[in-house]
Amino acid sequence: MLGGMTHTSVAAYAAPAPKAPLERTTVPRRELGAHDILIDIKFAGICHSDIHTVRAEWGDGGNFPIVPGHEIAGVVSATGSEVTRYQVGDRVGVGCFVDSCRTCDNCRAGLEQYCTGELGTVNTYNDTDRNGEATYGGYATHVVVDENYALRIPDALPLDAAAPLLCAGITLYSPLAHWQAGPGKKVAVVGLGGLGHMGVKIAHAMGAEVTVLSQSLRKKDDGLRLGADHYYATSDPATFEALAGTFDLIVNTVSANLDMGAYLGLLRTNGTLVQLGVPEQPLPIAPFALIGGRRSIAGSLIGGIAETQEMLDFCAEHGLTSEIEVISADRINEAYERVLASDVRYRFVIDTSTI
Ligand code: NAP
Ligand code: ZN
Ligand code: ZN
């Protein structure tokens, strides 16, 4: 018993303390409430945010032990008494949050990721739910989630390659849709990692002209195969001269600090740079880089539930999935090192049957 509710223990991988390697453990899952579904997790993607979080790089200290994982794909194995949206056997996903206040203007508008209510957006892990209990993520065998915060994974999408869509996919789909990437628009994707490779695929499917800006030309063949029209190395200063004033939209997925002025110079008049990566340190901006050309810098956080479903349906319609390397759970720590070294093509996905 915890907090007056009964719980079941499930196997998981957790970081016991900041920067410590992840290890096998068990965590509690609540008994099914009326609107809860029990998901038999099949696959969980490794997002760079998982790594920032367990390394306590975002300044909030963290609520250890932390079970990361917010790119969850699985199958419904039980339903609460009043569940109407899902049945046992349905293929479902869970993304970065599992609840929100449901009544604030943002929640009502389908922008639950920006919930302003007292509860706020309840993150899938390293957070506290409405019962006051710690949330634990998808590096586990099972999760219990309210049916209103689960997504339906279309039959056309395999569960392993669909898992990363729940964070990487929606994180790119939402700003690309909001800033209207499409025919006639020049879009640059900075960083060809987990987020970036989905940005290339989705922006291409939306009809935009897509350029990858990567540290080197090492992944150029991949980038072009994924749908990019152009590919440049940011280690080459000539890139910034050749592309000055080119893009309507730049989506920056890089997890480290970049020279923002150099990238803002690549925007055309009225262009927007959307910051998606969340490096540990602030990013300095020189005002002249914005003033000249009436440029904007913006940010975007994942997407709401309805938009995430729209993204999954869009990916099914266009045949888009993540490029993945499926690993067993005992390789999570090694995978983290490879992500940190930009040695990922393009998302590690944990086969949770190995936990
Ligand atoms: P990732 O797979 O590690 O990809 C990041 C890419 O950035 C790398 O593949 C690399 O691309 C480039 N990069 C890494 N270090 C660099 C450096 N020092 N200088 C220049 N480029 C560098 O990570 P991810 O999972 O895509 O996540 C990326 C960032 O987005 C993380 O900070 C994560 O926390 C954040 N994130 C934000 C949201 C949101 O809602 N806004 C959602 C999820 C994740 P190249 O090798 O091509 O240069
Ligand atoms: Zn993520
Ligand atoms: Zn709300």
Side-chain angles (χ1 to χ4, degrees):
M1 293 275 283
L2 271 179
M5 300 170 72
T6 51
H7 293 74
T8 310
S9 242
V10 304
Y13 263 71
K19 298 186 170 62
L22 278 72
E23 54 190 42
R24 193 176 180 285
T25 185
T26 58
V27 289
R29 297 298 192 196
R30 65 175 182 262
E31 292 300 314
L32 290 191
H35 284 283
D36 284 340
I37 58 176
L38 174 65
I39 301 172
D40 182 358
I41 301 175
K42 302 292 186 191
F43 297 98
I46 293 178
C47 175
H48 205 121
S49 300
D50 300 346
I51 303 174
H52 289 302
T53 305
V54 302
R55 294 187 171 223
E57 289 177 350
W58 285 340
D60 68 342
N63 196 6
F64 289 88
I66 292 173
V67 176
H70 57 210
E71 295 184 335
I72 302 170
V75 175
V76 176
S77 56
T79 56
S81 57
E82 288 170 38
V83 166
T84 57
R85 301 170 79 99
Y86 296 103
Q87 295 182 340
V88 170
D90 284 355
R91 305 162 84 247
V92 290
V94 179
C96 299
F97 58 92
V98 289
D99 205 352
S100 64
C101 86
R102 311 179 190 208
T103 55
C104 74
D105 289 349
N106 283 345
C107 282
R108 286 175 183 277
L111 297 168
E112 301 91 342
Q113 76 275 30
Y114 305 123
C115 174
T116 57
E118 201 183 325
L119 180 63
T121 310
V122 178
N123 294 313
T124 303
Y125 64 82
N126 191 31
D127 207 349
T128 305
D129 69 16
R130 62 171 68 225
N131 302 315
E133 299 186 343
T135 59
Y136 297 107
Y139 298 5
T141 56
H142 300 81
V143 65
V144 173
V145 64
D146 186 297
E147 61 172 332
N148 296 297
Y149 291 79
L151 290 307
R152 188 173 294 281
I153 298 182
D155 288 339
L157 301 176
L159 288 181
D160 54 358
L165 301 178
L166 277 305
C167 175
I170 186 59
T171 298
L172 274 293
Y173 182 89
S174 184
L176 289 168
H178 183 78
W179 278 276
Q180 299 174 332
K185 293 284 181 70
K186 292 187 178 175
V187 174
V189 176
V190 190
L192 192 66
L195 265 56
H197 91 290
M198 288 314 308
V200 170
K201 289 190 177 202
I202 293 170
H204 175 70
M206 288 175 169
E209 184 177 330
V210 182
T211 299
V212 174
L213 301 175
S214 180
Q215 294 168 91
S216 71
L217 297 179
R218 203 161 49 91
K219 296 177 280 194
K220 181 176 180 182
D221 291 347
D222 286 353
L224 299 178
R225 177 175 55 80
L226 299 175
D229 300 284
H230 317 282
Y231 201 105
Y232 288 86
T234 53
S235 54
D236 182 355
T239 291
F240 292 90
E241 287 164 32
L243 298 177
T246 298
F247 301 107
D248 300 285
L249 180 63
I250 299 175
V251 285
N252 178 17
T253 74
V254 173
S255 48
N257 285 56
L258 297 182
D259 173 1
M260 298 302 276
Y263 289 84
L264 289 167
L266 304 184
L267 290 172
R268 55 192 303 187
T269 307
N270 294 326
T272 302
L273 185 156
V274 182
Q275 181 65 28
L276 299 174
V278 193
E280 192 173 0
Q281 300 300 329
L283 292 165
I285 313 275
F288 275 122
L290 294 173
I291 291 168
R294 195 163 59 185
R295 295 169 174 132
S296 301
I297 181 159
S300 181
L301 179 67
I302 46 173
I305 292 294
E307 192 176 40
T308 303
Q309 189 63 58
E310 179 185 303
M311 176 277 307
L312 288 167
D313 296 343
F314 177 90
C315 286
E317 188 187 325
H318 292 270
L320 308 182
T321 51
S322 176
E323 310 288 303
I324 57 169
E325 183 173 336
V326 177
I327 60 164
S328 53
D330 58 359
R331 293 181 57 209
I332 292 171
N333 295 304
E334 176 193 333
Y336 275 25
E337 293 304 324
R338 287 183 53 195
V339 172
L340 289 168
S342 299
D343 177 23
V344 51
R345 296 193 182 196
Y346 283 88
R347 201 57 141 184
F348 290 108
V349 171
I350 303 159
D351 174 350
T352 56
S353 71
T354 62
I355 293 174

